[in-house]
Amino acid sequence: MEFIKKYKNDNGILDFGVYGQTSKIIDEFYDVSPFPNYNNYIDLSDFLEISEKNTFLSELKQYIGYNKKIIEIGSGTCQLGIFLAANTNNKVYCLDATKKSLKLGCEFAKKNKVNNISFIRSEIENTIFEENSFDFVICTGVLHHTSDPKGNFKKIANLTKENGNIIVGFYNRIGRIRTFIRQFIFKYISKNFAIFLDPYLRNKNFSLEKRMAWIRDQYQHPLETSFTFDNILNWFSNEHIKFIGSIPSMNLFNENESQFYQKRYQTTLSERIFKQFLMIFDNYGSEGGLFIMMGKKDCEKIN
């Protein structure tokens, strides 16, 4: 793929630089504790075996198939990108602002000879690709940490080819209420009590490094916003993206999250609101209230 800006090759990482003030703050924040790490994986086969147990990931890889161009924006340590590249002829690009995170992914890929993947240090605001470049654009848990989530969504939507797929994830304004309460306790009452109340941290198998990364991300992040289902549906509509599916499902009568990539939903506003309130009391709410939406760019409307 041709880049439209120059970069510096830093030992396998294509560095376009980070210039925006917000991007620099986020870069410095994650440089302290890149997450997740690769310490638990012996080699690529071990990594793939564990990743395949995640239904969302295994179905995504199957849905993507072969010979596709994929970019993950806000890739962190690039575990998703490596999973999607391994044992395929897809070309995968991992883009993140934090070089330390990219370095972990790059070293793991080199060690395990995953060659069809590129590691890019840049910020979302920096236009380095031509529009309509990718079959799949993936950006989960990232845009709500930027200063202009809606504008940056438009930028990544423009990277998607006609009939291409976009997958995005955001904190839910209603489903994240439990975390908002713990954040208040953490900031104003007691850090230890807030951590004690966090069900995600009750997993005794988590390493100290993983626990600290979660605490920083959930309770000390310098920039965070949240959105409703309908916020993102409106963004999809504005960019001519046809909604396909979501996790959790927005359909009250369809709790099965399998076959996420083949679903079509017909829901009402009241259903969507009620489903978001249900998130407060389930695993989605207990683990931060993140929701994921997938859409396909509608070339008929564009043309």
Side-chain angles (χ1 to χ4, degrees):
M1 175 169 291
E2 295 295 328
F3 298 101
I4 61 177
K5 287 189 178 180
K6 293 183 179 180
Y7 59 86
K8 177 177 66 175
N9 193 327
D10 185 359
N11 197 27
I13 297 173
L14 311 183
D15 192 347
F16 290 85
V18 173
Y19 305 102
Q21 188 60 38
T22 300
S23 298
K24 289 180 179 179
I25 292 171
I26 301 301
D27 176 23
E28 293 171 0
F29 179 80
Y30 282 110
D31 188 68
V32 174
S33 183
F35 178 78
N37 210 318
Y38 288 83
N39 294 340
N40 295 329
Y41 304 116
I42 299 172
D43 54 23
L44 182 63
S45 61
D46 181 49
F47 169 75
L48 293 177
E49 181 181 355
I50 293 173
S51 300
E52 285 284 356
K53 293 179 181 177
N54 183 304
T55 302
F56 173 79
L57 295 181
S58 60
E59 288 191 0
L60 174 60
K61 191 167 187 176
Q62 183 178 2
Y63 178 71
I64 288 174
Y66 295 90
N67 198 31
K68 302 294 194 309
K69 288 184 178 177
I70 305 161
I71 184 167
E72 184 188 12
I73 297 171
S75 59
T77 57
C78 313
Q79 292 192 9
L80 175 59
I82 290 173
F83 174 70
L84 297 178
N87 301 329
T88 76
N89 64 347
N90 296 319
K91 180 56 184 174
V92 179
Y93 297 80
C94 291
L95 184 150
D96 200 88
T98 305
K99 186 177 290 187
K100 191 172 181 180
S101 297
L102 292 167
K103 185 179 179 182
L104 288 173
C106 186
E107 289 174 349
F108 187 82
K110 285 181 178 179
K111 176 182 175 182
N112 292 280
K113 298 181 180 179
V114 182
N115 300 318
N116 53 325
I117 185 169
S118 297
F119 301 91
I120 301 167
R121 182 177 184 242
S122 183
E123 51 200 342
I124 296 175
E125 295 83 355
N126 190 7
T127 304
I128 62 175
F129 296 104
E130 293 183 352
E131 294 184 358
N132 306 313
S133 293
F134 295 96
D135 300 290
F136 284 83
V137 174
I138 304 170
C139 184
T140 61
V142 178
L143 292 176
H144 53 230
H145 289 316
T146 66
S147 57
D148 182 17
K150 185 176 181 179
N152 289 327
F153 174 81
K154 181 179 177 66
K155 286 180 178 293
I156 69 170
N158 288 339
L159 293 177
T160 313
K161 291 180 179 179
E162 295 182 0
N163 287 320
N165 295 266
I166 183 167
I167 300 172
V168 289
F170 297 89
Y171 289 145
N172 189 273
R173 190 168 296 160
I174 301 173
R176 193 164 168 78
I177 285 177
R178 289 167 66 179
T179 300
F180 293 150
I181 294 171
R182 291 196 299 268
Q183 287 174 339
F184 179 86
I185 295 172
F186 186 94
K187 186 174 182 180
Y188 297 106
I189 301 176
S190 168
K191 290 182 173 61
N192 289 334
F193 186 53
I195 292 170
F196 171 76
L197 292 175
D198 191 329
Y200 186 82
L201 295 174
R202 292 174 192 158
N203 189 328
K204 296 181 179 179
N205 295 323
F206 285 171
S207 65
L208 178 61
E209 182 182 56
K210 192 170 185 178
R211 288 173 61 85
M212 292 306 300
W214 176 262
I215 291 168
R216 282 176 52 78
D217 187 64
Q218 294 295 305
Y219 300 105
Q220 297 176 306
H221 205 286
L223 180 61
E224 176 185 306
T225 50
S226 57
F227 302 90
T228 65
F229 289 161
D230 282 79
N231 289 147
I232 310 309
L233 288 175
N234 288 334
W235 293 6
F236 272 28
S237 178
N238 291 340
E239 301 306 320
H240 306 294
I241 296 171
K242 188 182 297 183
F243 173 73
I244 293 178
S246 69
I247 297 178
S249 163
M250 294 191 295
N251 191 321
L252 286 173
F253 307 103
N254 190 346
E255 295 296 332
N256 185 2
E257 304 297 354
S258 65
Q259 298 181 338
F260 162 63
Y261 308 99
Q262 287 78 38
K263 291 180 180 177
R264 300 293 187 274
Y265 296 95
Q266 297 294 327
T267 61
T268 64
L269 174 60
S270 59
E271 281 183 284
R272 294 192 293 272
I273 293 174
F274 187 60
K275 196 61 182 282
Q276 288 169 105
F277 274 103
L278 290 179
M279 286 179 68
I280 300 172
F281 308 101
D282 61 21
N283 288 335
Y284 298 107
S286 67
E287 297 184 2
L290 185 76
F291 70 99
I292 296 172
M293 283 192 182
M294 177 176 176
K296 182 181 287 287
K297 185 175 281 189
D298 190 345
C299 63
E300 293 181 3
K301 289 186 178 181
I302 295 172
N303 297 329

